[in-house]
Amino acid sequence: MEKKIPHKIYISESEMPKAWFNIKACMKEQHEPFINPKTMKPCTEDDLRPVFCDEVIKQELNTTDELIPIPQGIQDLYHMYRPSPLCRAYFLEKALGTPAKIYYKFEGNNTSGSHKLNSAMAQVYYAKEQGITSLTTETGAGQWGTALSMACAFCGIDLKVYMVKVSSEQKPHRKEVIRTYGAEVIPSPSNTTKVGRSILEKMPNTGGSLGCAISEAVEVALETENCRYVLGSVLDHVLLHQTVIGLESKTALEKYGETPDIVIGCCGGGSNFGGLIAPFMADKIKGKAKTTFIGVEPASCPSLTRGKYAYDFCDTGKMTPLAKMYTLGSGFMPSPNHSGGLRYHGMSPIISKLYHDGYMEARTVEQSKVFEAAEIFARTEGILPAPESSHAIRATIDEALKCKESGEAKTILFGLTGTGYFDMSAYKNFNDGNMSDYIPTDEDLEEGFKTLPKVE
Amino acid sequence: MEKKIPHKIYISESEMPKAWFNIKACMKEQHEPFINPKTMKPCTEDDLRPVFCDEVIKQELNTTDELIPIPQGIQDLYHMYRPSPLCRAYFLEKALGTPAKIYYKFEGNNTSGSHKLNSAMAQVYYAKEQGITSLTTETGAGQWGTALSMACAFCGIDLKVYMVKVSSEQKPHRKEVIRTYGAEVIPSPSNTTKVGRSILEKMPNTGGSLGCAISEAVEVALETENCRYVLGSVLDHVLLHQTVIGLESKTALEKYGETPDIVIGCCGGGSNFGGLIAPFMADKIKGKAKTTFIGVEPASCPSLTRGKYAYDFCDTGKMTPLAKMYTLGSGFMPSPNHSGGLRYHGMSPIISKLYHDGYMEARTVEQSKVFEAAEIFARTEGILPAPESSHAIRATIDEALKCKESGEAKTILFGLTGTGYFDMSAYKNFNDGNMSDYIPTDEDLEEGFKTLPKVE
């Protein structure tokens, strides 16, 4: 199997990005600004300062600089686990019998098991520089919580993680990883916050949601001295940090004269997808490429494909600014039989805007089909993928099989965001034939939409 | 942190080894031959043929060829997950304040979470070539079982895995990974074999042992048509396959003009250690280097440091040939509070011989010290290590701290054999302060020695 293109393409450490790629500077129209729900006016830096670190607020509001330098201190932290490999899926291609060339950027080869470390390292570094001594956050599938606990361990910062209760029960071992890195894990909703107590009173048996965990983490950050909140997805600065994925992929592909016809990623809050597509999307916006972009979401939490493009709160407790995005309503909670992450009610404002303006496609997949794809991938490429990432695998396999029918040798790039080592309860359901699908009815969605705020 | 030597050194796919390194061809004296317990004469190829595949028997008995070509088909399989990175532990060095230069070869970046895939791929490939349709094996910590299930999935061969009962209880999720790759997992001792039933009758509450699981797997292989047994450690051919670890490490170090002063690895059955040290040991034997080699074993299962150098069975059921090795007796079972792998009663005959002839050192460490080292490593280098691998980390940290005292800038290479993602129950005990150490008394060891066979 001597081929010109190796199975794994590693760029050298000196080729790693020195600046993040700010896709907003290329977009013809910006997404609507965040709105302060108290004043109903666009958020200023001052509005955001009690919650977020100063430097990330600047990044959040920056729409003009295409390249934002990565401080040397963050580049040093990235060296711990980057560059990640860009892999050619020779084994999968052969198993499918497709003429398509399939590449995946594998972000799971670090202990967080995902891409989340890319933003965790950046945000914790900025917090440390600002003299912040403790941080709070939420986590769903647990990857973000693990990543942040790792970053906090390296930088010497205290951390409280509000973990969606159903995930903390499905994944007790994630909790131990986070504890090994020295952070505290609290299942959400909890009795430690006002918003948590209020939700528990109304719904004592709820499995929780990301939106609810965010509310609890924000409340603690606001009420603790020298403490800030950090978010692992959705916001523009998180997408910005994740652009190392797309930038490294582009550098690696260019070494072999390859350009993708299709770029595929799973969409929960949108940060990995946004980070993967950013530099390729810039080429499309500038008319240099005709790439197809496909965001894949679970049928059980279809914010892009069945949500409304509207102003909404980022959290269930309605404490955050309002963002214009595709949303199912902050009161929406996915069915308890939904496995893994991708359970957020909204979608990154950048991704929402790109989708709204026709630069990308979106589709949903059901979880039994997702695990079927995961198993095919594990048995051919050797990596046991996270359920989240397997949404992208499903769509990639579907596109590769279309190529098989049409005979087209398209180049497909997808984001393999993480590994499924902490998702074995879900795999057990699949292995036992007990995996059920759930597609919310229009009536279910209407209940969520009722929680949307009224904005003129 | 711009340095000449990168954090991770990847050799290119074309630089990967094309042949395994047979250390026996360099050794001045060979280890004693295997003995057939029925005839009490050295084992012939015919003696081994009912149990093992033909090609690995040839490798097992080969003492003359220094290089044994890796078939192209196995090289292709290795491309799925190799080369593995050789990492410079800059972050750990800094945290320890040591002048030592620490390198580790990281074998955990694949779904088996360990180096075990190196021999699994080879053995399953040879079985397939020979027309074998099913395989049996044992697994302790679960890494070998996972690796073999992956290799069997790629090659389309049925697999039964006898998993040490205490491990299968500590690690239910390992079982699901193995099932995802299509294999069957049976906790050992079980009612599916004569030897299992006999052990259960005598010790209904036993947590099992690797030796016992081996007996069950061998029994099934002997009684099933077109079925063979595969072993994940101890034997010469397994060490041979693992030499890709040492060969890649040497190629990577030579690129930067580095030669190790000390090479450290954990020792269970001895295969990862043997594979890591082989090409460096050859230089020492040939008088080209003065490297120190340190094998590290758990205080609770001290075969090299407190065992006898004697002929013994490789399994509890006394079905295998006799091997001359350091052993605690095939009846020895480590204390149930011992976490993870490295619970085998014996030691690779090659490693035993090298130790006996003074080419290497051995030492024991207690598990609370091992997990302490694991936590330091996780929090500095970012990788959550397997308990087994953490034995090597402990010894490396100890050596690096000696360098700090003496001011010597020694170059240390250690084998980071795997990740601890499926060992979180053990980490939980450590995080909760519930980790206890256990050192067998001389009387405990005498009980094991009583099970040694009498050999003239």
Side-chain angles (χ1 to χ4, degrees):
Chain A
M1 209 180 276
E2 277 300 317
K3 291 204 177 66
K4 195 185 142 219
I5 299 173
H7 289 68
K8 291 178 185 60
I9 308 171
Y10 284 99
I11 58 173
S12 71
E13 287 177 13
S14 59
E15 290 172 309
M16 282 169 64
K18 310 266 183 300
W20 292 297
F21 191 88
N22 183 13
I23 185 70
K24 289 190 286 183
C26 308
M27 288 167 71
K28 290 185 179 155
E29 284 178 30
Q30 295 303 312
H31 65 73
E32 306 287 323
F34 288 101
I35 284 181
N36 181 333
K38 287 179 194 151
T39 63
M40 292 309 273
K41 288 188 181 154
C43 280
T44 62
E45 288 194 27
D46 286 342
D47 287 340
L48 299 170
R49 223 180 297 275
V51 180
F52 293 109
C53 292
D54 298 352
E55 195 61 33
V56 304
I57 295 172
K58 279 187 209 154
Q59 295 176 349
E60 189 65 31
L61 302 177
N62 186 329
T63 57
T64 50
D65 301 320
E66 188 171 295
L67 293 176
I68 297 184
I70 305 174
Q72 189 58 48
I74 296 175
Q75 289 187 46
D76 291 347
L77 290 170
Y78 280 169
H79 279 127
M80 185 179 289
Y81 64 101
R82 303 200 71 80
S84 70
L86 180 75
C87 309
R88 174 75 185 269
Y90 286 119
F91 294 96
L92 178 63
E93 289 170 18
K94 192 177 165 196
L96 298 175
T98 178
K101 292 188 277 182
I102 303 175
Y103 291 89
Y104 54 96
K105 181 70 168 168
F106 180 35
E107 292 289 316
N109 266 353
N110 67 73
T111 293
S112 82
S114 81
H115 63 291
K116 295 287 187 182
L117 212 42
N118 301 329
S119 189
M121 289 295 202
Q123 294 197 58
V124 172
Y125 174 86
Y126 287 128
K128 180 83 178 176
E129 290 285 294
Q130 195 182 322
I132 299 298
T133 53
S134 72
L135 293 171
T136 68
T137 197
E138 83 297 332
T139 199
Q143 295 167 334
W144 170 245
T146 310
L148 201 64
S149 72
M150 291 173 71
C152 284
F154 305 141
C155 296
I157 283 187
D158 287 339
L159 174 66
K160 272 189 183 150
V161 178
Y162 284 87
M163 185 167 187
V164 177
K165 191 185 278 173
V166 62
S167 290
S168 78
E169 285 162 3
Q170 282 174 354
K171 304 180 175 188
H173 289 176
R174 273 279 185 208
K175 185 176 167 180
E176 289 308 320
V177 180
I178 298 174
R179 284 182 75 203
T180 301
Y181 284 95
E184 186 184 352
V185 184
I186 304 152
S188 167
S190 77
N191 280 313
T192 65
T193 64
K194 275 174 264 166
V195 61
R197 287 189 291 272
S198 138
I199 289 171
L200 281 175
E201 214 164 273
K202 283 179 229 153
M203 297 181 285
N205 298 318
T206 177
S209 71
L210 262 193
C212 164
I214 293 173
S215 304
E216 291 199 86
V218 169
E219 182 182 321
V220 172
L222 285 171
E223 296 187 354
T224 309
E225 205 184 342
N226 226 0
C227 179
R228 290 293 184 283
Y229 166 71
V230 285
L231 187 64
S233 190
V234 182
L235 298 181
D236 296 1
H237 66 270
V238 183
L239 263 74
L240 178 73
H241 304 151
Q242 295 297 353
T243 58
V244 291
I245 303 173
L247 291 165
E248 283 187 9
S249 299
K250 201 154 185 277
T251 302
L253 284 171
E254 281 170 359
K255 281 194 165 188
Y256 293 92
E258 292 277 69
T259 44
D261 299 302
I262 309 175
V263 182
I264 297 172
C266 63
C267 283
S271 74
N272 100 76
F273 184 66
L276 173 67
I277 69 173
F280 301 103
M281 180 60 83
D283 284 351
K284 179 166 185 167
I285 293 173
K286 293 171 184 172
K288 291 188 204 164
K290 291 187 175 176
T291 322
T292 300
F293 299 93
I294 306 173
V296 190
E297 52 185 18
S300 53
C301 194
S303 53
L304 275 177
T305 47
R306 296 176 68 197
K308 291 195 172 163
Y309 191 45
Y311 265 109
D312 194 8
F313 289 98
C314 299
D315 66 327
T316 314
K318 306 191 172 182
M319 299 173 70
T320 61
L322 298 170
K324 180 81 177 279
M325 59 183 176
Y326 281 89
T327 176
L328 299 164
S330 64
F332 178 85
M333 291 204 188
S335 158
N337 74 354
H338 169 75
S339 296
L342 309 184
R343 49 177 67 243
Y344 185 62
H345 67 274
M347 180 56 63
S348 142
I350 292 177
I351 297 300
S352 293
K353 179 69 176 165
L354 289 169
Y355 180 58
H356 191 70
D357 291 352
Y359 287 101
M360 57 168 277
E361 302 170 14
R363 68 177 66 161
T364 63
V365 285
E366 293 172 42
Q367 70 177 357
S368 57
K369 286 284 184 188
V370 166
F371 277 82
E372 188 187 271
E375 193 188 81
I376 293 170
F377 188 79
R379 292 188 183 185
T380 52
E381 289 292 312
I383 299 168
L384 188 96
E388 300 83 35
S389 325
S390 304
H391 287 71
I393 297 174
R394 176 75 264 169
T396 299
I397 290 177
D398 292 344
E399 290 302 311
L401 291 176
K402 278 186 212 164
C403 286
K404 186 178 181 179
E405 269 189 34
S406 69
E408 287 173 288
K410 288 189 180 171
T411 300
I412 305 174
L413 166 67
F414 78 89
L416 185 67
T417 50
T419 52
Y421 306 145
F422 292 95
D423 300 279
M424 296 320 297
S425 308
Y427 272 95
K428 182 176 192 320
N429 286 340
F430 179 73
N431 291 336
D432 291 344
N434 291 333
M435 179 144 282
S436 55
D437 290 323
Y438 175 75
I439 303 177
T441 63
D442 289 343
E443 290 72 34
D444 293 335
L445 295 186
E446 276 309 318
E447 287 304 308
F449 295 145
K450 283 182 192 162
T451 64
L452 285 171
K454 289 202 172 65
V455 179
E456 306 296 292
Chain B
M1 211 181 279
E2 277 299 314
K3 291 204 177 65
K4 195 186 145 219
I5 299 172
H7 289 68
K8 289 178 186 60
I9 308 171
Y10 284 99
I11 57 173
S12 72
E13 288 178 13
S14 59
E15 290 171 309
M16 283 169 64
K18 309 267 184 302
W20 292 297
F21 191 88
N22 183 13
I23 185 71
K24 288 190 287 183
C26 308
M27 287 168 71
K28 292 186 177 152
E29 285 178 31
Q30 295 302 312
H31 64 73
E32 306 287 323
F34 288 102
I35 284 181
N36 181 333
K38 286 176 194 153
T39 63
M40 291 310 272
K41 287 187 182 155
C43 280
T44 62
E45 287 195 27
D46 286 343
D47 288 340
L48 299 170
R49 224 181 297 275
V51 180
F52 293 108
C53 292
D54 299 351
E55 195 61 33
V56 305
I57 295 171
K58 280 187 209 154
Q59 295 176 349
E60 188 66 29
L61 301 178
N62 186 328
T63 58
T64 50
D65 300 320
E66 188 171 296
L67 293 175
I68 297 184
I70 306 174
Q72 188 60 49
I74 295 175
Q75 289 188 44
D76 291 347
L77 291 169
Y78 280 170
H79 279 127
M80 184 180 288
Y81 66 100
R82 306 200 68 82
S84 70
L86 180 75
C87 310
R88 175 74 185 267
Y90 286 119
F91 293 97
L92 178 63
E93 289 170 17
K94 193 177 165 197
L96 298 176
T98 179
K101 293 189 276 181
I102 304 174
Y103 291 90
Y104 55 95
K105 181 70 168 168
F106 180 36
E107 292 288 317
N109 266 353
N110 67 74
T111 294
S112 82
S114 80
H115 63 290
K116 294 287 188 183
L117 213 42
N118 301 329
S119 188
M121 289 294 202
Q123 294 197 57
V124 172
Y125 175 86
Y126 287 129
K128 181 84 176 176
E129 290 285 295
Q130 196 181 323
I132 299 298
T133 53
S134 72
L135 293 170
T136 69
T137 198
E138 83 297 334
T139 199
Q143 294 167 334
W144 170 245
T146 310
L148 200 64
S149 72
M150 292 173 69
C152 284
F154 305 141
C155 297
I157 283 187
D158 287 339
L159 174 66
K160 272 191 183 147
V161 178
Y162 284 87
M163 184 167 187
V164 177
K165 192 185 277 173
V166 62
S167 291
S168 78
E169 285 162 2
Q170 280 173 355
K171 304 180 174 188
H173 289 176
R174 272 279 184 206
K175 184 176 167 180
E176 289 309 321
V177 180
I178 298 174
R179 285 182 74 203
T180 301
Y181 284 95
E184 186 185 350
V185 183
I186 304 151
S188 167
S190 77
N191 280 313
T192 65
T193 63
K194 276 173 267 172
V195 60
R197 287 190 291 273
S198 138
I199 288 171
L200 281 175
E201 215 165 88
K202 282 179 233 155
M203 298 181 284
N205 298 318
T206 177
S209 70
L210 261 193
C212 164
I214 292 173
S215 304
E216 291 200 86
V218 169
E219 182 181 324
V220 173
L222 285 171
E223 297 188 353
T224 309
E225 206 185 341
N226 226 359
C227 179
R228 289 294 185 282
Y229 165 71
V230 284
L231 187 64
S233 191
V234 182
L235 298 182
D236 296 1
H237 67 270
V238 183
L239 262 75
L240 178 73
H241 304 151
Q242 295 298 353
T243 58
V244 292
I245 304 173
L247 291 165
E248 284 187 10
S249 299
K250 200 156 186 275
T251 301
L253 283 172
E254 281 170 358
K255 281 195 164 186
Y256 293 91
E258 292 277 68
T259 44
D261 299 302
I262 309 175
V263 182
I264 297 172
C266 62
C267 282
S271 75
N272 100 76
F273 183 67
L276 173 67
I277 68 172
F280 301 102
M281 180 60 84
D283 284 351
K284 180 168 184 166
I285 293 172
K286 293 172 183 172
K288 291 189 205 163
K290 293 188 175 175
T291 322
T292 299
F293 299 94
I294 306 173
V296 190
E297 53 185 17
S300 54
C301 194
S303 53
L304 274 178
T305 48
R306 296 177 68 197
K308 291 196 173 165
Y309 191 45
Y311 265 108
D312 194 9
F313 290 99
C314 299
D315 67 325
T316 313
K318 306 191 172 182
M319 301 174 70
T320 60
L322 298 171
K324 180 82 178 278
M325 59 184 176
Y326 280 88
T327 176
L328 299 165
S330 64
F332 178 84
M333 290 205 190
S335 157
N337 75 353
H338 170 75
S339 297
L342 310 184
R343 50 175 68 242
Y344 185 61
H345 68 273
M347 180 57 62
S348 141
I350 292 178
I351 297 300
S352 292
K353 179 69 177 163
L354 289 168
Y355 180 58
H356 190 70
D357 291 352
Y359 288 101
M360 57 167 278
E361 302 171 14
R363 69 176 66 161
T364 63
V365 285
E366 293 172 41
Q367 71 177 356
S368 58
K369 287 284 185 187
V370 166
F371 277 82
E372 188 188 272
E375 193 188 82
I376 292 170
F377 188 80
R379 292 189 183 184
T380 53
E381 288 292 311
I383 299 168
L384 188 95
E388 299 83 34
S389 325
S390 304
H391 287 70
I393 297 174
R394 175 76 263 168
T396 299
I397 290 177
D398 292 343
E399 291 301 311
L401 291 176
K402 277 186 213 166
C403 287
K404 186 179 181 177
E405 268 188 36
S406 69
E408 287 173 289
K410 288 188 180 171
T411 300
I412 304 174
L413 166 66
F414 78 90
L416 185 68
T417 51
T419 51
Y421 306 146
F422 292 94
D423 299 279
M424 297 318 298
S425 308
Y427 272 95
K428 183 176 192 316
N429 285 340
F430 179 73
N431 291 336
D432 290 344
N434 290 335
M435 179 143 283
S436 55
D437 291 323
Y438 176 74
I439 303 177
T441 62
D442 289 343
E443 290 72 35
D444 293 335
L445 295 186
E446 277 308 318
E447 287 303 307
F449 294 144
K450 283 181 193 163
T451 64
L452 284 171
K454 287 201 175 61
V455 179
E456 307 295 293

